[in-house]
Every structure is written in structure tokens, then in C-alpha cells.
Amino acid sequence: MPQTIGTAMIEKLHANDAVIAVDPQIDFCPGGALPVPEGDEVIPVLNLWIDRAGELGATVVISRDWHPQDHCSFESQGGTWPVHCVQNTRGAAYHPELHVPAGAIHVSKAADPARESLSDFTGSGLGASLRRKGVKRIWVGGLALDYCVRATVLEALAEGFEVHLLLPATRAVNVNAGDGEQAIEEMRVAGAVIEEDAS
Ligand code: VGL
Ligand code: ZN
């Protein structure tokens, strides 16, 4: 019997697709202000997809949580999170090993002190930008699975995109045990394709 060689998932990436790296920032990685367990492990997987997108001329989107010092989501302001991703601080920077292509679309979120904003699509014009480029299908990874990735995937689906979640390229905060699993199920039910193998 000839050996069957599986087609790598990344070979499905098409020139008309977009790869979206949600908030791959220092503060969401171990040692950061709001560390996601194993958060840094998403970076090499995201790089694989970003590099492949570069080869194909596909769209790359990179977003960042971009808070003012007095953002409403901070405990100091009555919110639930430690101070994190404050504009122009080191913790708000992209992970130093992330590949950031020259042509990437950058989305900065939650800069309004009075409003929380988790989805890359809310008020950013990202949906319109992607449609203008002819993008219909997106491949999403990043941090955190149970917050900004979840919100981004659900809004992308609501906007009519075909959405693939790259599981090896995301990690959950899991403030409550099972949050990550619950988020995955929610995204699956909403129509996202959950990709267990992202290489
Ligand atoms: C995020 C919590 C607070 C995220 C942002 O990027 O998932 N999570 N702010
Ligand atoms: Zn935040």
C-alpha cells in the first residue's frame, strides 16, 4: 500500500484569504501584565501562517489591545482586569518574535477609556477593508481564545465571512475553568470551522 501523505492545513490558505493574528502582545504572554498560560506558544504558529500569506500575497491582519491608562476594564477603574496593554508601553508591543509584514493591516482596539471592545471588527472598518480586497475567508489565531479571539470570530461570522479558528495558534485565559472549551463550542455552533491541526 502506498503511504497516504496528508495535505497540510496551511496548504488550504488561498491568496484571497486573510490571516488574522489577534493581540499577539507582550502583556498577554507569560511574564506580561495579563498573562495567558502558554500565550507565547502561539507566536511560531502564527508566524507560519503569516509567512505563507506573504508567499501567496494574502492579507495579514494584526490587532492590538490599545488602552489608555484609565481604561474602564482595569480594576483601578472598577473593571475586572489588571492594567494591561497601555498605549506606547512595552507590554502593549507585539511579541518580539512575531513576524510583522510591511503590508499588514493593523487594528488598534479599546482606546476609548469608557468602552471595552474585544472584537477586531467593532468600529474598526476591518470588515469593509477585507470585503474591498475580495476576502471571503479568514483564518484566525491569537490571544485570548475566550475573549478577543472569541469576539472577533463571532463578529466575523455575523458579517458573513467564512471563519476558520486555528486552535494551535490560540490559548485561553480560563479565568473560570472551561472558559476556553466553552468559547470553542460557541464558535463552532455559530459556524466557525475549528482546525485542530494548523500546520
Ligand atoms: C483581552 C482581556 C482584556 C484579549 C483584552 O485580547 O483577549 N482580554 N483585554
Ligand atoms: Zn484589554
Side-chain angles (χ1 to χ4, degrees):
M1 280 267 286
Q3 203 184 333
T4 307
I5 298 169
T7 306
M9 185 56 53
I10 200 162
E11 287 172 25
K12 292 194 185 167
L13 183 65
H14 189 272
N16 292 335
D17 296 348
V19 172
I20 303 188
V22 177
D23 305 2
Q25 292 165 277
I26 289 174
D27 269 347
F28 293 130
C29 292
L34 204 175
V36 178
E38 304 177 346
D40 52 339
E41 292 183 16
V42 308
I43 303 298
V45 190
L46 290 172
N47 282 342
L48 217 61
W49 285 75
I50 288 167
D51 292 351
R52 181 66 184 145
E55 290 167 13
L56 294 167
T59 301
V60 174
V61 178
I62 308 175
S63 67
R64 59 182 182 179
D65 207 23
W66 195 242
H67 295 312
Q69 280 176 9
D70 58 348
H71 191 257
C72 62
S73 74
F74 298 165
E75 283 158 350
S76 53
Q77 308 296 318
T80 54
W81 302 113
V83 172
H84 64 279
C85 297
V86 173
Q87 295 167 11
N88 303 305
T89 62
R90 179 172 179 276
Y94 295 139
H95 188 286
E97 280 158 37
L98 184 76
H99 297 177
V100 182
I105 296 175
H106 296 269
V107 174
S108 298
K109 294 179 297 188
D112 179 344
R115 249 189 309 186
E116 179 61 308
S117 185
L118 298 174
S119 162
D120 285 12
F121 286 84
T122 304
S124 65
L126 178 60
S129 296
L130 293 178
R131 277 188 289 275
R132 212 177 304 125
K133 288 168 143 276
V135 172
K136 294 187 169 64
R137 182 164 72 164
I138 65 175
W139 303 80
V140 183
L143 304 169
L145 170 63
D146 37 358
Y147 289 91
C148 285
V149 170
R150 171 188 172 277
T152 296
V153 164
L154 293 178
E155 195 167 351
L157 289 165
E159 288 207 22
F161 292 98
E162 178 185 323
V163 183
H164 295 250
L165 174 68
L166 301 172
L167 266 192
T170 185
R171 292 291 187 283
V173 185
N174 283 322
V175 170
N176 303 298
D179 281 356
E181 286 306 316
Q182 195 182 313
I184 291 167
E185 183 58 13
E186 237 182 309
M187 291 184 260
R188 194 188 62 75
V189 167
V193 181
I194 311 299
E195 305 289 5
E196 312 258 349
D197 171 20
S199 55

